[in-house]
Structure formats: C-alpha cells, structure tokens
C-alpha cells in the first residue's frame, strides 16, 4: 500500500507548481523551527491529491529526506487502530509478510532501550504480536491503557527518527479510523515530524485540521491548501500526454 509509486503510474505532474512551492515553504519552516508541522491538501475525488503527494514523495526522497508513505482506503476507517498500525509499521520498516515472531523480534531489538519491558504487550493488538501481558498493564483501566499506548507510540517514533527530520505522507487521511486519529493527532503534535496529507472536504478529519489551522495556538504549524481544478493550459498538456502526441487541434483543446 506504499504511496510513492513509479511516476509512470500517473505520468508527469502538471499544473501544480504553486502547491509544490507552498509545500517547500512549509518544509523549510519545519526544518528551521525544528517543530512538528502539518500541510493538508484538500480536494474532491479526482482533483489530483494522490498524484501530488506521490510526486512530492519522489522529490523529497531525491532530496535525501526520510520519507514514510501510507495510502488508506475506505476499509481502514472501519478497522480500529489500522491507521496508527500502518503509520508506525511503515516508519519501522516492518513488512506485511513478516510472521508474528519476526515482528516481535524486530520490535524488541529496536526498542529494548526505549520502551519499558512491561509496555511491550501494549503493541500486541496493533502489530499482531504476542508479548506476555504484564500485571502492570492488566491492572490499567481503558483510559490508562490509551495514555500508555500513546506514550509508547511517541517513544517509538522518536527513536526511529533519531532526531533527524522525517516526513509522513498520508494519502486519503479522511479514512484514518477514529481510534487511530485520537492517538495519531496528538502524537504528531509532539514528535518533530513533517506530515503531508490529502483529505476529502466535508469530513470529520478535515474539519479538525481546518479548526487547528485557525487556532492561534497551532496555526503557525498547520497549513491547509484547497486543490482547485487545473488551468486550461495544464488540461491541454494532460490530454497530449495521455494521447501520446505533441499537440492537439485547437477545436479539441477548447
């Protein structure tokens, strides 16, 4: 489900120079301030959100940034914790075909000096592993478990990023399930990471982002960009590209 597909899947990106420039300015602010930053591209289906994010991921990999990509579908919103699972798994480099014991060894190896031994069992449901449930965790109420899980995920991302700049690309972020969002959103406000996401309008997640962008306490670290339709010249370029020709008749262009 990686988002940074080969460019041939989409073809060259056309008519999004302004959006790329906005992204670059936001990324520059993130690197300068060394604080979490979010840029959200909002548009209706077919407006080119996925294409834009895919191109940005390619460009930033070329610029040697650490890039983690996640592409969500409508099924994810129905699966509790699937969003946070995909995000953290991609950041860790866990593979879909790994066995439970392989994932367990990987998690233990990477985080043995970061996460308390008693907290590893908090990862069982999310990563389909089987760490022994400790007395400490078994005695927690639901809110305590949620807080402990948030802390554990935050520690994991901080460890993985290792103090380096990192970029998360989340395509179709409106499909993040509610439980994941309740953990992910505050977590990404505390970990120094740059998050670029695509969102459909009139969705709960989208409204949360818009509200945060308007809030004086968070507005300096959040930018929302509405994707408008392509300019006529870019549409003609796209038609030529799809047809494999250098030009098309003026009547067809109109």
């Amino acid at each position: 489900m990686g988002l940074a597909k080969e460019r041939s899947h989409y073809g060259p990106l056309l008519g999004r120079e302004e959006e790329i420039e906005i992204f670059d300015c936001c990324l520059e602010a993130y690197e300068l301030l060394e604080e979490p930053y979010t840029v959200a591209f909002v548009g209706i289906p077919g407006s080119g959100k996925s294409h834009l994010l895919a191109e940005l991921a390619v460009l930033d990999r070329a610029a040697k940034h650490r890039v983690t990509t996640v592409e969500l579908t409508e099924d994810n919103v129905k699966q509790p914790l699937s969003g946070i699972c995909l995000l953290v798994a991609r950041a860790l480099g866990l593979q879909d075909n790994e066995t439970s014991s392989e994932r367990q060894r990987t998690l233990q190896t990477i985080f043995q000096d970061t996460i308390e031994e008693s907290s590893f069992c908090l990862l069982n449901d999310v990563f389909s592993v089987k760490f022994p449930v400790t007395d400490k965790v078994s005695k927690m109420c639901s809110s305590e478990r949620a807080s402990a899980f948030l802390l554990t995920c935050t520690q994991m991302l901080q460890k993985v990023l290792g103090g380096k700049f990192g970029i998360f690309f989340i395509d179709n972020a409106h499909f993040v399930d509610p439980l994941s969002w309740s953990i992910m959103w505050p977590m990404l406000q505390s970990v120094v990471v740059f998050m670029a996401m695509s969102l459909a309008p009139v969705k709960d997640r989208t409204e949360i982002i818009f509200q945060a962008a308007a809030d004086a306490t968070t507005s300096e670290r959040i930018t929302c960009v509405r994707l408008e339709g392509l300019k006529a010249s870019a549409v003609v370029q796209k038609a030529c590209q799809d047809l494999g020709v250098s030009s098309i008749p003026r009547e067809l262009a109109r």
Side-chain angles (χ1 to χ4, degrees):
M1 295 175 66
L3 178 144
K5 301 164 180 145
E6 294 294 329
R7 289 182 178 178
S8 59
H9 178 84
Y10 289 111
L13 183 68
L14 301 172
R16 292 301 182 194
E17 293 79 11
E18 183 179 344
E19 287 79 5
I20 292 175
E21 184 176 352
I22 291 172
F23 176 89
D24 287 341
C25 289
C26 294
L27 183 58
E28 188 175 318
Y30 159 71
E31 294 172 338
L32 180 65
L33 299 174
E34 298 188 11
E35 293 181 349
Y37 204 103
T38 298
V39 58
F41 296 101
V42 181
I44 62 173
S47 59
K49 301 185 297 296
S50 296
H51 191 177
L52 176 60
L53 257 65
E55 183 73 5
L56 291 171
V58 170
L59 294 174
D60 283 291
R61 279 204 176 98
K64 302 294 191 293
H65 285 103
R66 180 168 189 152
V67 171
T68 300
T69 61
V70 175
E71 181 182 8
L72 300 177
T73 67
E74 194 167 0
D75 287 340
N76 291 115
V77 79
K78 305 169 188 175
Q79 302 169 15
L81 294 177
S82 66
I84 191 70
C85 176
L86 279 170
L87 183 67
V88 177
R90 288 293 163 77
L92 297 178
L94 297 179
Q95 302 300 314
D96 294 338
N97 59 357
E98 285 183 321
T99 65
S100 174
S101 58
E102 287 173 333
R103 286 195 299 273
Q104 191 161 317
R105 281 195 298 272
T106 300
L107 292 168
Q108 220 161 8
T109 300
I110 296 175
F111 300 112
Q112 59 182 347
D113 298 325
T114 304
I115 300 174
E116 289 185 16
E117 193 69 28
S118 62
S119 297
F120 274 103
C121 59
L122 292 166
L123 307 176
N124 285 350
D125 293 339
V126 180
F127 295 105
S128 299
V129 289
K130 299 177 181 178
F131 288 107
V133 178
T134 59
D135 290 341
K136 178 180 178 180
V137 171
S138 65
K139 294 176 182 177
M140 290 180 178
C141 65
S142 57
S143 61
E144 290 173 332
R145 285 177 70 100
S147 297
F149 181 68
L150 170 59
L151 174 61
T152 301
C153 286
T154 301
Q155 291 171 329
M156 291 169 73
L157 287 180
Q158 288 171 334
K159 168 74 172 183
V160 170
L161 293 173
K164 299 177 183 178
F165 293 119
I167 306 176
F168 287 140
F169 288 92
I170 305 180
D171 193 18
N172 295 325
H174 46 275
F175 289 140
V176 175
D177 62 278
L179 186 54
S180 286
W181 189 255
S182 69
I183 297 168
M184 185 187 300
W185 183 238
M187 180 179 70
L188 292 174
Q189 300 305 298
S190 60
V191 178
V192 182
V193 68
F194 186 94
M195 181 167 67
M197 62 174 72
S198 71
L199 292 154
V202 198
K203 298 285 186 180
D204 292 342
R205 314 289 175 275
T206 312
E207 290 305 313
I208 289 172
I209 298 294
F210 279 139
Q211 290 169 9
D215 189 322
T217 61
T218 54
S219 60
E220 292 184 357
R221 293 189 281 110
I222 298 174
T223 297
C224 293
V225 182
R226 291 186 182 274
L227 290 187
E228 305 296 340
L230 291 176
K231 295 179 180 178
S233 58
V235 173
V236 172
Q237 281 183 280
K238 174 65 173 169
C240 291
Q241 171 189 300
D242 291 346
L243 294 170
V245 298
S246 58
S247 63
I248 58 176
R250 185 176 300 176
E251 294 76 12
L252 178 58
R254 281 202 297 267

